[in-house]
Each structure stands twice: as structure tokens, then as C-alpha cells.
Amino acid sequence: MADTPDPDLVRALQALANPMRLRLLTWLRDPERHFPREEAIADPAEVGVCVSHLQSKAGLAQSTVSSYMAELQRAGLVRATRVGKWTHYKRDEQRIAQLVAELGRTL
């Protein structure tokens, strides 16, 4: 009987299969480079990037970006933090490293 893939790994790969979700995650890898610091509500390196800034850079509707970020969060690739009425997203580097390691063991 074949081994069943780790469901968390499958969920992460499904989230990354969308080119825009992958691009959003890539931008979050280096937020200071991709998002103007002077427009930040909170420190992008510590707290993350506001959905409104992600939406502006992506050129998509706020609801679409929120949906994409929620999918990345469910996959364990990002963490959300509320600052006032704004939601900020930051990569979960530890979880990403675990998923990459699991992918290496799986393939």
C-alpha cells in the first residue's frame, strides 16, 4: 500500500499552486523591498504587511487578496496579526522550513 502524503504538505502545495498566492508569499519574504516603509502602519518585518498594501501592489480587489491570504494562512504559510482595524500578514518561516523539509523527504 502506498504511503499517504502529509495533508499539511498537500494543503501548502495547493495554496502555492496559484501564481498570485505564490507571488504574495514571495513579496512577503522581503517586505522592506516590496512595500514602502513610509506607508506602513506597523513594522513590516515584525508585524507583517497590511492587506491594503498587498492589494495595492497586486492590483486586485481587497476581497480577493483577503481570500488568497486566508488560504495561505490555512496552509500554515503566513500568520495574521490585527493592528486596529487592519490585518497584517507575515510569513511563518519556521513552518515554511518544516514544509520544505517534508517535501524533500516525500519526493
Side-chain angles (χ1 to χ4, degrees):
M1 187 156 117
D3 290 350
T4 303
D6 178 353
D8 291 337
L9 179 60
V10 171
R11 189 175 305 112
L13 291 172
Q14 288 172 333
L16 294 173
N18 177 289
M20 181 50 75
R21 286 194 297 258
L22 181 58
R23 187 172 300 131
L24 290 164
L25 192 64
T26 301
W27 290 338
L28 289 176
R29 185 175 192 173
D30 189 3
E32 288 86 4
R33 177 176 166 215
H34 295 285
F35 301 96
R37 180 144 182 127
E38 62 274 359
E39 295 177 14
I41 298 164
D43 182 357
E46 291 296 317
V47 178
V49 177
C50 182
V51 167
S52 63
H53 295 132
L54 292 166
Q55 181 247 330
S56 177
K57 185 165 178 78
L60 299 171
Q62 183 273 329
S63 60
T64 302
V65 172
S66 291
S67 173
Y68 284 171
M69 297 312 296
E71 183 66 27
L72 290 170
Q73 185 178 14
R74 282 190 296 274
L77 300 168
V78 298
R79 287 179 277 128
T81 302
R82 294 285 293 183
V83 178
K85 64 180 180 176
W86 295 278
T87 302
H88 290 66
Y89 288 95
K90 179 178 173 144
R91 287 167 51 113
D92 187 337
E93 297 297 345
Q94 182 178 359
R95 184 68 183 132
I96 290 170
Q98 291 170 346
L99 289 167
V100 168
E102 180 63 29
L103 182 60
R105 287 189 296 275
T106 301
L107 295 180

